[in-house]
Amino acid sequence: MQPKVKRGVPCEERPGSTALRQPDWDGIRIFLEVARRGSFRSASEHLGHSINVLRRRIQELEEQLGTVLMTRHVDGIRLTPEGSKILVSAERMEVAAFDLTRTRDQAVPLLSGEVKIAVTEGLGTFWLAPRLVEFQRGYPRLIVDLNCGMRSADVLRMEADASVQLTQPTAPDLKVVKLGRLHSMPYASRSYIDTYGAPKRFEEIFQHRIVLQMAEQTTTKQVFEQLAGGVPQEGFVAMRTNVSSAHYWAIAKGAGIGWLPTYASAIGARIVPLDLDLRFSFDIWLTYHPEAKRIPRIRRSIEWIVESFDARHFPWFRDEFIHPKDLPQEYKGQPLVNWFEGFAGAS
């Protein structure tokens, strides 16, 4: 029998007790992120918390578990043998937590709540965002978290419920659907052409200035090396940027010639296509967890995404290239939202 002084006192609060506290899921989640990214700095940038906060949470987790999980080095962190073993269990906890969330969401039949959609910055800003207005009018209780960026979202870890990207996912546990094809070609602004003229042949482009978009899910670096290998960028490349919106405005304002998707012409971009036979195409992929489609709000959002890229209605997403000058004859639908209508003097 226990002495009276210890009766009713939790084990971890008894003097001399070595009992450990149950670790909380949020601490486990932070441990997973730091371990996967290899450093507190990288995890801090991804999670949006300061490095000191993450270090404190890891220290608290180590105290809860009674062991050291990782050690710090100049180039990042190293998991201890104990940390590596706990990482395996933490990954199983993560899978179970995601399953729990999906099961909860399946029990809520109304088209309400949050849907997280990850999409490349250009397609998100210029194509999906303007179309969201009409979609949300039909489902006013739906909150769409549209994350526009060039880094592919990890759908398995629920960074997004659905992801639209230009690189084909390879994870075997994901549902992958080809939405269409993105065709790009060189464009210039009217002001640039009026000032410097327009190249008529590929060889003439080296007498001009170009702008480049350098980011994940783009092949700009490889294409540049293929087309202009050995050509110094100084005096030839006017600007490099990492996002599609800045890339477009650099072209529209006359900084130089750049490659843009042909649907830019369909939505009223104030630029002129250049016939230089320098066209590139990228397949557009939709990916989501198979279980996610059982959740009504996510299923309807996925259906809306597929509809938004239907090449039968939007010919610029067909597999075959259609020149921007021919798009008015090919497109038979309602007038599109002109994303650029509020921007005066773009060219």
Side-chain angles (χ1 to χ4, degrees):
M1 177 177 292
Q2 297 176 356
K4 289 184 179 181
V5 69
K6 291 188 178 182
R7 292 178 187 174
V9 179
C11 291
E12 62 270 21
E13 296 181 10
R14 296 172 187 169
S17 173
T18 59
L20 304 176
R21 289 181 290 154
Q22 188 71 18
D24 65 279
W25 166 240
D26 193 53
I28 294 291
R29 181 180 62 85
I30 290 174
F31 166 65
L32 282 167
E33 197 65 36
V34 175
R36 284 168 173 157
R37 297 193 170 269
S39 73
F40 282 98
R41 182 176 301 279
S42 178
S44 170
E45 293 172 353
H46 183 70
L47 294 173
H49 298 308
S50 71
I51 294 176
N52 288 336
V53 167
L54 298 189
R55 287 174 178 166
R56 185 172 66 250
R57 294 308 305 274
I58 293 297
Q59 182 179 355
E60 292 172 354
L61 181 62
E62 290 177 333
E63 292 173 354
Q64 292 168 356
L65 294 173
T67 188
V68 176
L69 299 175
M70 58 183 65
T71 56
R72 292 165 53 192
H73 301 265
V74 293
D75 60 344
I77 61 97
R78 303 281 191 281
L79 292 181
T80 63
E82 295 79 9
S84 296
K85 293 177 182 178
I86 288 174
L87 177 64
V88 175
S89 297
E91 289 172 336
R92 290 199 296 265
M93 287 180 63
E94 182 182 49
V95 171
F98 292 160
D99 287 343
L100 179 65
T101 301
R102 293 188 183 101
T103 302
R104 177 207 64 192
D105 291 342
Q106 291 167 17
V108 182
L110 296 177
L111 289 177
S112 63
E114 182 182 65
V115 176
K116 294 184 290 185
I117 300 174
V119 59
T120 57
E121 195 260 345
L123 287 172
T125 300
F126 297 122
W127 184 247
L128 285 186
R131 300 179 59 77
L132 267 173
V133 177
E134 180 181 354
F135 176 66
Q136 288 190 301
R137 284 175 179 167
Y139 306 98
R141 295 180 59 82
L142 204 61
I143 302 172
V144 178
D145 183 344
L146 190 68
N147 190 334
C148 302
M150 294 308 295
R151 184 184 67 85
S152 299
D154 191 336
V155 177
L156 284 177
R157 294 178 55 214
M158 296 184 70
E159 289 184 352
D161 298 310
S163 176
V164 178
Q165 54 196 69
L166 300 179
T167 54
Q168 184 175 4
T170 57
D173 296 331
L174 291 177
K175 179 68 174 177
V176 179
V177 178
K178 180 182 173 182
L179 292 173
R181 181 167 290 180
L182 192 71
H183 301 277
S184 66
M185 66 182 298
Y187 281 84
S189 69
R190 176 56 61 188
S191 64
Y192 179 91
I193 295 173
D194 290 342
T195 303
Y196 302 103
K200 303 298 183 184
R201 303 189 310 275
F202 166 70
E203 294 78 10
E204 295 179 9
I205 199 170
F206 297 104
Q207 309 304 317
H208 288 263
R209 303 274 279 169
I210 67 170
V211 295
L212 302 174
Q213 182 184 356
M214 312 290 282
E216 290 186 39
Q217 301 195 62
T218 67
T219 58
T220 304
K221 184 176 181 180
Q222 298 91 316
V223 169
F224 182 85
E225 291 298 327
Q226 177 184 346
L227 298 179
V231 177
Q233 292 195 19
E234 293 83 357
F236 180 42
V237 176
M239 182 183 297
R240 292 192 299 258
T241 183
N242 65 325
V243 294
S244 300
S245 51
H247 182 63
Y248 163 75
W249 285 111
I251 299 169
K253 287 293 186 179
I257 297 168
W259 278 255
L260 290 170
T262 54
Y263 77 82
S265 297
I267 59 175
R270 301 172 184 183
I271 45 179
V272 180
L274 303 177
D275 291 313
L276 297 176
D277 196 26
L278 292 172
R279 304 168 185 164
F280 306 98
S281 298
F282 307 88
D283 289 332
I284 307 170
W285 302 97
L286 168 68
T287 180
Y288 56 90
H289 194 285
E291 290 294 310
K293 206 169 183 181
R294 297 172 59 186
I295 303 170
R297 68 175 182 274
I298 298 178
R299 180 175 63 249
R300 181 65 192 100
S301 299
I302 289 173
E303 292 169 350
W304 171 76
I305 292 172
V306 173
E307 293 165 2
S308 297
F309 289 92
D310 190 339
R312 293 171 298 180
H313 303 300
F314 309 113
W316 40 88
F317 293 129
R318 292 178 188 170
D319 283 347
E320 66 272 16
F321 173 83
I322 301 175
H323 196 283
K325 64 181 174 58
D326 297 324
L327 289 177
Q329 290 75 39
E330 294 287 339
Y331 179 64
K332 306 300 182 183
Q334 297 294 320
L336 295 172
V337 173
N338 185 350
W339 197 91
F340 304 93
E341 61 190 352
F343 296 86
S347 59

